[in-house]
Amino acid sequence: MSDGYVWFEGVPFPTKGFTPEVLREVRESFVFKDEDVLILTYPKSGTNWLIEIVCLVYSKGDPKRIQSVPIWERSPWVEAECGYNALKDKEGPRLISTHLPIQLIPKSLFNSKAKVIYLIRNPRDVLMSGYFFYGVSSFAEKFESLEEYFEWFIKGNLPYGSWFDHTHGWMSMRGKENFLILSYEELKRDTRSIIEICQFLGKKLEPEELNSVLKNSSFQVMKENKMSNYSLLQDQCLSKNGILLRKGISGDWKNYFTVTQAEAFDKIFQEKMADLPQELFPWE
Ligand SMILES: Nc1ncnc2c1ncn2[C@@H]1O[C@H](COP(=O)(O)OS(=O)(=O)O)[C@@H](OP(=O)(O)O)[C@H]1O
């Protein structure tokens, strides 16, 4: 186990804002309500994009709230100390985010009807997104090169541990009525995923409202919205050049992986994920 993380039950967490005590309390004591909505992802999978979309679906495309309340307050991270404190006594339905692996999620989730939206992204793009993000963050262990970081990704020596374990764990929930699985790639491709989100949340939007959701959750609009682009937290968690909204595209990994890395990744992916249906991974 490396010193560059906070560890809880064998899973590494960022060194800022997380403690084993709070992580234990969250798992044992946080109570999900039936009317909560949980945004669930492995880091760098498009979490903030999904939060923005869900906020806009609830406001029927009206951007007032996304322009006035920071995204981390609209959907706090339950496992982070400040998120837990903000959420635990909050009245009414809550929008909640998490990157927790299934074994660390509050136990109450499994006895509630809270709606869970799980967003998956091609792990090769997750890897590259994390490479650029963690490389300039002040809360994750520093790596020397893409080669080293690639090894760490495969081993799970990164915040929240292994993508492969995380995905396996949560995919065991597929088919449950309150569990919607979406992919970053399909979300980029067309509007069908947004319609699925509306249906899942029981919200009916007019075409112009749907257009407004699309427009206001676009990469460009989010990048310019200081309530969504994390520029307000720049000093706390990123260096001068650190950005959350980097490129926002699918397949960027092809610009960075060597042929050897691409082949090695394919092999590992096939070995580790062979037991799951391939339609769960809708990227080429
Ligand atoms: N609106 C929109 N459209 C498309 N893509 C978007 C959007 N918003 C965020 N992103 C991209 O999501 C990546 C960051 O993922 P997360 O939000 O999960 O990051 S974090 O784990 O919460 O830090 C990161 O991906 P990369 O650009 O590949 O690094 C963001 O650019």
Side-chain angles (χ1 to χ4, degrees):
M1 291 208 297
S2 88
D3 292 338
Y5 296 113
V6 164
W7 289 86
F8 179 60
E9 307 250 328
V11 177
F13 287 87
T15 48
K16 282 190 183 165
F18 299 84
T19 65
E21 294 71 31
V22 171
L23 287 161
R24 179 164 295 106
E25 195 175 323
V26 167
R27 187 183 55 183
E28 301 303 324
S29 315
F30 184 80
V31 180
F32 274 101
K33 303 183 227 174
D34 290 348
E35 60 272 31
D36 289 338
V37 174
L38 179 64
I39 305 279
L40 169 62
T41 58
Y42 184 83
K44 314 317 297 175
S45 300
T47 328
N48 289 280
W49 186 19
L50 182 57
I51 296 171
E52 203 82 327
I53 292 170
V54 169
C55 289
L56 285 161
V57 165
Y58 273 103
S59 72
K60 298 200 159 212
D62 182 347
K64 220 181 303 132
R65 195 166 143 74
I66 66 158
Q67 291 166 352
S68 57
V69 184
I71 195 162
W72 55 92
E73 287 179 20
R74 282 184 261 129
S75 185
W77 255 258
V78 66
E79 64 270 26
E81 194 164 0
C82 56
Y84 174 60
N85 289 331
L87 287 166
K88 63 181 178 197
D89 300 319
K90 189 166 181 249
E91 311 255 305
R94 299 165 298 183
L95 184 60
I96 302 171
S97 299
T98 191
H99 293 315
L100 283 172
I102 194 165
Q103 73 276 16
L104 301 185
I105 201 77
K107 292 175 175 165
S108 63
L109 180 70
F110 304 106
N111 302 319
S112 87
K113 296 192 181 109
K115 291 184 174 163
V116 182
I117 310 181
Y118 176 83
L119 186 66
I120 189 169
R121 185 182 191 188
N122 186 337
R124 299 161 185 85
D125 283 327
V126 169
L127 185 154
M128 286 317 306
S129 182
Y131 172 72
F132 288 108
F133 187 73
Y134 298 135
V136 293
S137 75
S138 51
F139 57 76
E141 193 166 354
K142 290 287 159 279
F143 40 84
E144 296 285 319
S145 61
L146 179 56
E147 288 68 39
E148 184 174 41
Y149 176 81
F150 188 95
E151 291 300 316
W152 288 10
F153 188 92
I154 302 299
K155 286 192 196 135
N157 182 31
L158 291 174
Y160 293 90
S162 155
W163 180 92
F164 302 97
D165 293 348
H166 195 279
T167 306
H168 256 118
W170 281 112
M171 283 298 179
S172 66
M173 295 285 286
R174 70 188 190 280
K176 298 248 186 307
E177 207 185 333
N178 63 336
F179 196 80
L180 176 68
I181 301 177
L182 300 173
S183 77
Y184 181 97
E185 291 72 22
E186 287 173 326
L187 209 47
K188 279 225 75 103
R189 217 171 288 151
D190 56 43
T191 53
R192 261 176 294 185
S193 301
I194 297 199
I195 294 167
E196 266 187 86
I197 294 174
C198 293
Q199 285 167 346
F200 184 67
L201 298 177
K203 301 280 161 202
K204 187 157 173 17
L205 266 57
E206 298 301 328
E208 65 276 12
E209 295 170 338
L210 203 59
N211 279 339
S212 181
V213 173
L214 276 174
K215 179 177 146 233
N216 287 298
S217 64
S218 69
F219 183 80
Q220 226 32 60
V221 171
M222 275 188 73
K223 198 174 166 68
E224 278 155 30
N225 179 3
K226 67 178 190 307
M227 294 299 168
S228 309
N229 64 15
Y230 280 81
S231 56
L232 296 174
L233 293 186
Q234 190 88 8
D235 295 344
Q236 288 171 47
C237 55
L238 295 168
S239 75
K240 194 157 61 58
N241 300 319
I243 41 168
L244 180 83
L245 286 107
R246 187 183 59 96
K247 280 194 185 170
I249 58 171
S250 305
D252 191 38
W253 64 273
K254 292 174 193 161
N255 296 318
Y256 299 97
F257 279 25
T258 62
V259 172
T260 312
Q261 282 171 331
E263 286 173 359
F265 200 99
D266 284 352
K267 190 159 173 284
I268 292 159
F269 188 91
Q270 274 153 23
E271 278 165 16
K272 292 189 185 266
M273 309 309 279
D275 55 324
L276 289 170
Q278 291 309 294
E279 62 263 26
L280 292 172
F281 313 122
W283 48 79
E284 72 287 359

